[in-house]
Amino acid sequence: MKYVDVILPLPLANTFTYSVPEEWAGQIRMGMRVVVPFGKKKMYTAVIYLVHSITPTVYEAKDIICLLDNEPILRRPQMKFWEWISSYYQAFLGDVYQAAVPAGLKLESETQVRINPDYKAETVLSEKEEKVLMALSDGKAISVNELNKITEMRDSLPTLKQLLEKGAVEISEELDEKFRAKTDSFVRLTDETIKEENLRKLFDDLSRAKKQLDVLMMYIDLSKCLTPAKKREVSKKELLERTGASPAVLNGLVERGAMEIYVREIGRLDVSEIQTSEQYTLNDSQGEAYNEIEKQFLEKQVVLLHGVTSSGKTELYIQLINKVLAEGKQVLYLVPEIALTTQLTSRLKRVFGSKLGVYHSKFSDAERVEIWNNVLNDKTYDVIIGVRSSIFLPFRQLGLIIVDEEHESSYKQYDPAPRYHARNAAIVLASMHGAKTLLGTATPAVETYYNALTGKFGLVELNQRHEEMEMPEILVVDSKEAYRKKEMESHFTPLLLEKIGKALQNSEQVILFQNRRGYAPYIECKACAYVPHCKNCDVSLTVHKVFNTLTCHYCGYTEPIPSICPACGTAGSLITKGFGTEKIEDEIKLIFPEARVSRMDLDTTRSKKSYEKIISDFEQQKVDILIGTQMVSKGLDFERVSLVGILNADNMLNFPDFRAHERAYQLMAQVSGRAGRKNKRGTVILQTSSPEHPVIGQVIRNDYKAMFNTQCEERKLFKYPPYFRMIQIVLRHRDPKVLNLAANRMASDLRAVFAARVLGPNVPAVSRIQNLYIKHILLKFEVEASPERAKEILRQITNQLIAEPQFKSLWVNLDVDPM
């Protein structure tokens, strides 16, 4: 008897064993998908982890229900990679499966409800029961979610339970396949019609049916069917649009037996041939850097390319990619933001054409499945550009992974598990394929630069901007002094407004950076100082004026902006405090009414095409002023930008985190680098109430090494990375008393083993999210110590704690290498 151990898409510690019916025994392989029963009535799509013949002793193995694949959807190195992610980041294999595989490849068991055709009402039904039966009256099965929508009931399950007891409805678990191939209808001449004598006869027959004759002539013209070498398919939609004919006209030709309509699967992705062009020739400094990278790759698996903003790192990447493609290998090009994939795609497609694929979360499930299948089946794509989830694609043989802007915190997955860092995971993935990893940035993460200086990584420096363009001039303005002198107009200093005015006069573009979205962080009552807070989280609600709402950015709770204070009842007393990108947009439009203004933040980039539209409009100079959050700081290249305004450096510098100064330097240096990238030296206006702050001086001088040295001294003193490793334990519970008890117990148990390496428990800045109270415990241990042993001890202590009845509802997450 054959058995399989499978991974379920659930946060469970074990794999589960199922028996394989004889009909599939010869086909089944590791990496294939099977449908299995789990629990009382649920079914899941599981991935085969192991095929064996050992009968389980703890429970009787159930049969798999269905084998979904003819070939595995995973390659062997992927399973090894999943195991590493699971082990290193302390996540279950089911969590990795959920994160790695597109939702369209995971069939889900969804409760389906239908009316019982034999039901005869013997008792009086309630209004809700009548409503549910009315919704099911057509006899079709629908899901509980659909039923809730139709009946406008928040939760129909209690009512369904009552109807089940009365025998009025039936419930079944049915699999819902999320991925369906996209099809289209095409037309062609029948085999008989294509013969010359029959075609001539058809023309004669259609002499009185002008509309049908027009459709036939248009088909012959579009399809080039009379010239076999140039013949192409014609869709039904295209033919009808080009002729203006109705479907009835085409159906007339079908009824005559002259034409036939057929359906064919088409992709959702653009696979049209693209005219490629020659890549640019590297200048001297780029050529030297390229040769040095090649030399370093002979000795090191990982090389850091530390190149100032606008030094032409992308051209270097293109040369390296071409070399790897010539060897018959694949390349993964990681970027931190979808906005960057949008701008880079058009640039890279000019060089690599249809060999380039794009993969990110704004694609639909179906599109992501198509990309997955294309990579799996060696079709089309040799280069993938994508965000962090791209590391899970089923690559055949990677030759190179490029991690662009490697310092970015966007590479870290926070929730849900696995809480992996794509840069570090990419290095491991590359080593499993025998590939190289190139990390590129103008402002390396402190840990990365430390690894390069200590010889773990290779290091290549590129200190000259492309075409010898000067670094931007950075002017610091004391906003505190400007407020005191009443010189500020709204949130803009006189110097910034003057420079914006000059840039607009010269038909140049401006970027304004404010690292907070929304209209304002909160509103406050002038009379009683009341501030509206989220009912689920311990945070003030952010003002979104465009929707007239107050919104929680943690759980999504929303309520209308009140006209009177809910606490004291005073009318017109609620005023906004602070400012976000939405408020800046409103104010800049008032000050410069003629300027064309656009905003790029999470609120304006929710759809797949929104990034493309904003970036394209700015590139084509349809927008004069672009206002944005940190999205605008990440490697974007706009040649007409002469001015960048950093509106509030203080909220970056004063953030309560040991990485605050490093991140502030990186953000300010990166956003400054957007200025003066072509033709002319740019200007940066940096508004701060602390102009004497050391980080501000380092940004002005573009002195990364000074920032690095300062941070290293502090981190060595206070035991932070790169000198110590960190694991953050996050505990959550609905009852703050139970949480405090659990956190204190866990900290005490950890101290018994790790002594002073344990810090906490502490209350985080946001101490309640979605009605769960939160406590943090931080474990720091030496780099030389075994992380595997530390995690093993942590897991044992965690399991002992949550095994106690009083802590059964406690959530404990381990965040390895927290950012």
Side-chain angles (χ1 to χ4, degrees):
M1 185 75 181
K2 259 194 183 174
Y3 295 93
V4 288
D5 291 349
V6 302
I7 302 167
L8 289 161
L10 299 168
L12 299 168
N14 301 319
T15 55
F16 293 85
T17 305
Y18 288 84
S19 55
V20 181
E22 202 59 42
E23 61 184 296
W24 294 310
Q27 299 165 250
I28 212 135
R29 282 186 281 159
M30 188 273 283
M32 286 180 166
R33 294 174 303 152
V34 287
V35 177
V36 296
F38 190 75
K40 286 185 179 177
K41 285 186 178 177
K42 288 280 185 185
M43 290 182 285
Y44 291 96
T45 300
V47 170
I48 297 172
Y49 179 68
L50 190 66
V51 182
H52 60 87
S53 54
I54 302 165
T55 307
T57 53
V58 180
Y59 54 85
E60 187 180 342
K62 296 177 184 175
D63 276 357
I64 64 169
I65 294 169
C66 175
L67 175 64
L68 290 174
D69 304 309
N70 295 322
E71 295 291 331
I73 66 154
L74 303 178
R75 295 182 187 275
R76 194 166 293 279
Q78 275 179 287
M79 196 61 82
K80 191 178 165 192
F81 183 55
W82 283 19
E83 288 169 351
W84 178 82
I85 291 265
S86 169
S87 168
Y88 187 84
Y89 290 104
Q90 292 296 285
F92 301 120
L93 272 171
D95 291 326
V96 183
Y97 171 27
Q98 271 287 43
V101 176
L105 287 173
K106 293 178 288 218
L107 302 181
E108 281 190 359
S109 169
E110 199 172 295
T111 303
Q112 301 281 317
V113 188
R114 63 166 62 84
I115 198 164
N116 181 356
D118 302 324
Y119 172 68
K120 288 174 186 163
E122 295 171 1
T123 57
V124 179
L125 298 176
S126 70
E127 187 184 336
K128 283 187 175 180
E129 289 170 339
E130 290 278 9
K131 209 177 196 180
V132 167
L133 287 183
M134 184 63 71
L136 297 169
S137 58
D138 63 358
K140 291 179 183 174
I142 62 171
S143 72
V144 173
N145 285 339
E146 288 176 79
L147 187 61
N148 289 342
K149 285 177 189 171
I150 294 166
T151 58
E152 296 181 345
M153 293 166 69
R154 193 172 176 185
D155 185 6
S156 58
L157 283 174
T159 309
L160 283 171
K161 185 171 177 284
Q162 292 157 9
L163 287 169
L164 264 173
E165 288 164 0
K166 293 173 181 177
V169 296
E170 299 173 334
I171 278 184
S172 64
E173 290 292 327
E174 295 181 5
L175 285 166
D176 171 34
E177 184 163 10
K178 291 188 174 180
F179 175 67
R180 288 177 180 84
K182 188 177 181 181
T183 58
D184 199 1
S185 297
F186 292 84
V187 291
R188 63 189 169 203
L189 295 179
T190 60
D191 291 342
E192 284 301 307
T193 307
I194 199 72
K195 292 172 183 173
E196 190 176 340
E197 62 273 18
N198 292 345
L199 192 57
R200 287 186 186 196
K201 186 174 181 302
L202 180 61
F203 279 127
D204 293 339
D205 293 346
L206 293 178
S207 58
R208 291 182 187 175
K210 187 174 183 309
K211 288 185 177 177
Q212 288 186 6
L213 183 60
D214 288 345
V215 169
L216 179 64
M217 294 292 287
M218 180 58 76
Y219 170 77
I220 291 170
D221 184 44
L222 290 173
S223 67
K224 305 287 189 290
C225 62
L226 302 181
T227 315
K230 295 182 178 179
K231 189 177 175 181
R232 76 172 184 91
E233 286 186 300
V234 178
S235 73
K236 177 182 171 182
K237 182 183 175 187
E238 182 187 8
L239 184 59
L240 294 178
E241 279 178 358
R242 294 289 290 267
T243 57
S246 67
V249 176
L250 179 60
N251 290 339
L253 284 165
V254 172
E255 285 162 16
R256 282 177 180 268
M259 300 190 83
E260 59 186 5
I261 298 171
Y262 64 99
V263 175
R264 182 174 68 74
E265 182 182 331
I266 59 166
R268 291 170 172 85
L269 308 169
D270 179 14
V271 290
S272 56
E273 282 297 316
I274 295 157
Q275 189 68 40
T276 57
S277 57
E278 288 296 310
Q279 63 205 51
Y280 296 109
T281 306
L282 300 182
N283 64 26
D284 290 347
S285 57
Q286 288 171 324
E288 284 172 25
Y290 176 84
N291 293 333
E292 186 59 29
I293 291 167
E294 289 283 84
K295 184 180 165 189
Q296 297 267 3
F297 272 150
L298 296 173
E299 299 172 16
K300 310 279 184 186
Q301 292 299 309
V302 184
V303 173
L304 169 64
L305 172 61
H306 179 203
V308 296
T309 55
S310 197
S311 55
K313 292 186 288 293
T314 308
E315 296 307 325
L316 273 171
Y317 300 157
I318 289 169
Q319 295 273 1
L320 289 162
I321 292 169
N322 265 324
K323 182 174 184 291
V324 172
L325 296 187
E327 295 166 1
K329 296 179 180 176
Q330 296 165 302
V331 177
L332 172 59
Y333 188 144
L334 284 176
V335 291
E337 285 279 359
I338 296 167
L340 260 179
T341 69
T342 301
Q343 196 181 42
L344 275 168
T345 299
S346 56
R347 192 169 169 184
L348 295 177
K349 280 215 166 175
R350 286 199 295 271
V351 181
F352 303 112
S354 54
K355 291 179 184 176
L356 179 77
V358 185
Y359 191 77
H360 57 64
S361 60
K362 285 289 191 288
F363 281 143
S364 66
D365 284 337
E367 285 172 316
R368 276 186 274 175
V369 170
E370 284 197 18
I371 295 164
W372 181 284
N373 288 336
N374 278 345
V375 176
L376 181 68
N377 299 320
D378 297 337
K379 288 183 190 169
T380 315
Y381 303 132
D382 293 320
V383 184
I384 290 286
I385 179 170
V387 292
R388 61 174 181 257
S389 57
S390 309
I391 60 171
F392 293 114
L393 284 167
F395 293 101
R396 175 189 74 253
Q397 189 182 10
L398 276 171
L400 175 67
I401 300 180
I402 294 165
V403 186
D404 199 14
E405 309 297 346
E406 66 79 29
H407 64 280
E408 278 292 344
S409 57
S410 310
Y411 283 124
K412 173 74 173 174
Q413 163 76 12
Y414 291 97
D415 271 313
R419 295 170 181 83
Y420 66 96
H421 195 298
R423 176 196 62 214
N424 300 343
I427 291 169
V428 173
L429 177 66
S431 71
M432 288 178 175
H433 280 266
K436 305 294 185 184
T437 307
L438 181 67
L439 311 176
T441 178
T443 53
V446 166
E447 294 93 325
T448 304
Y449 200 65
Y450 177 82
N451 283 335
L453 291 184
T454 53
K456 186 176 180 182
F457 299 164
L459 175 62
V460 177
E461 309 248 25
L462 187 56
N463 297 318
Q464 193 173 312
R465 278 187 134 192
H466 190 55
E467 294 180 355
E468 301 186 2
M469 180 61 62
E470 282 186 89
M471 293 297 288
E473 178 187 19
I474 300 176
L475 306 174
V476 178
V477 185
D478 189 338
S479 53
K480 185 177 173 184
E481 187 67 12
Y483 275 116
R484 190 183 68 77
K485 291 179 177 176
K486 297 188 171 58
E487 292 174 344
M488 294 287 282
E489 185 170 345
S490 182
H491 300 288
F492 310 99
T493 55
L495 181 62
L496 179 56
L497 291 178
E498 179 198 326
K499 294 286 185 184
I500 293 173
K502 278 186 183 172
L504 295 176
Q505 278 174 14
N506 296 334
S507 301
E508 293 165 346
Q509 291 173 299
V510 178
I511 290 177
L512 297 178
F513 170 70
Q514 167 60 4
N515 206 23
R516 189 187 289 274
R517 67 187 169 106
Y519 188 80
Y522 62 98
I523 54 172
E524 183 179 86
C525 175
K526 285 189 290 186
C528 70
Y530 165 78
V531 175
H533 276 70
C534 176
K535 66 176 187 178
N536 306 315
C537 313
D538 279 343
V539 289
S540 57
L541 293 169
T542 302
V543 184
H544 287 261
K545 191 182 173 189
V546 69
F547 303 116
N548 196 41
T549 58
L550 298 172
T551 301
C552 173
H553 288 171
Y554 286 87
C555 73
Y557 169 76
T558 297
E559 63 181 48
I561 297 174
S563 54
I564 62 169
C565 175
C568 68
T570 308
S573 63
L574 293 163
I575 56 168
T576 60
K577 292 283 189 175
F579 60 99
T581 49
E582 194 186 320
K583 191 172 187 179
I584 296 302
E585 182 184 22
D586 269 12
E587 291 174 348
I588 212 78
K589 282 177 179 175
L590 288 173
I591 299 168
F592 298 102
E594 301 300 313
R596 297 162 299 174
V597 180
S598 186
R599 173 163 55 95
M600 188 158 128
D601 56 26
L602 197 59
D603 298 319
T604 62
T605 55
R606 293 193 185 276
S607 72
K608 175 182 165 185
K609 297 286 182 185
S610 50
Y611 284 98
E612 244 169 80
K613 176 88 172 69
I614 294 167
I615 289 170
S616 170
D617 285 352
F618 200 61
E619 279 182 326
Q620 293 170 27
Q621 294 169 49
K622 293 177 185 176
V623 172
D624 301 313
I625 301 174
L626 179 64
I627 297 155
T629 54
Q630 59 181 346
M631 286 180 186
V632 300
S633 73
K634 299 179 183 180
L636 295 170
D637 187 3
F638 303 114
E639 60 180 70
R640 295 289 298 171
V641 174
S642 65
L643 177 68
V644 166
I646 299 171
L647 300 178
N648 183 3
D650 303 325
N651 62 1
M652 295 181 274
L653 291 167
N654 300 325
F655 197 75
D657 178 20
F658 80 94
R659 286 193 173 92
H661 288 179
E662 176 194 1
R663 288 214 178 112
Y665 176 89
Q666 287 165 342
L667 261 176
M668 286 189 272
Q670 287 285 344
V671 80
S672 298
R674 302 314 109 211
R677 295 174 72 85
K678 299 272 170 74
N679 311 321
K680 176 183 173 183
R681 188 184 188 194
T683 305
V684 178
I685 306 295
L686 198 159
Q687 295 184 169
T688 174
S689 60
S690 312
E692 70 294 334
H693 196 289
V695 173
I696 301 291
Q698 290 157 5
V699 171
I700 293 168
R701 298 189 304 274
N702 191 37
D703 194 349
Y704 171 82
K705 286 179 181 171
M707 185 279 294
F708 172 79
N709 291 333
T710 306
Q711 287 301 299
C712 283
E713 285 170 22
E714 287 182 10
R715 293 186 189 190
K716 197 167 191 177
L717 187 62
F718 295 106
K719 299 181 178 177
Y720 281 110
Y723 304 99
F724 275 68
R725 296 180 188 271
M726 295 198 308
I727 300 175
Q728 184 159 270
I729 303 112
V730 182
L731 299 95
R732 296 182 176 93
H733 200 279
R734 293 192 179 278
D735 185 336
K737 290 179 183 172
V738 174
L739 178 67
N740 287 337
L741 185 63
N744 290 333
R745 171 83 69 80
M746 190 167 198
S748 173
D749 291 349
L750 287 169
R751 281 197 182 92
V753 181
F754 294 105
R757 296 176 184 87
V758 180
L759 303 178
N762 299 316
V763 178
V766 180
S767 59
R768 181 173 61 106
I769 295 175
Q770 295 180 347
N771 286 320
L772 289 169
Y773 292 88
I774 306 167
K775 281 280 183 87
H776 287 173
I777 300 170
L778 189 64
L779 172 63
K780 297 179 183 179
F781 55 96
E782 296 79 359
V783 170
E784 304 78 38
S786 165
E788 286 74 25
R789 180 66 184 137
K791 289 171 199 169
E792 187 186 325
I793 294 165
L794 260 177
R795 185 56 66 194
Q796 286 171 2
I797 290 171
T798 302
N799 290 341
Q800 285 167 9
L801 188 71
I802 58 179
E804 295 185 28
Q806 61 182 329
F807 299 134
K808 67 177 182 180
S809 300
L810 181 73
W811 293 54
V812 182
N813 295 325
L814 304 182
D815 188 0
V816 179
D817 303 335
M819 289 294 286

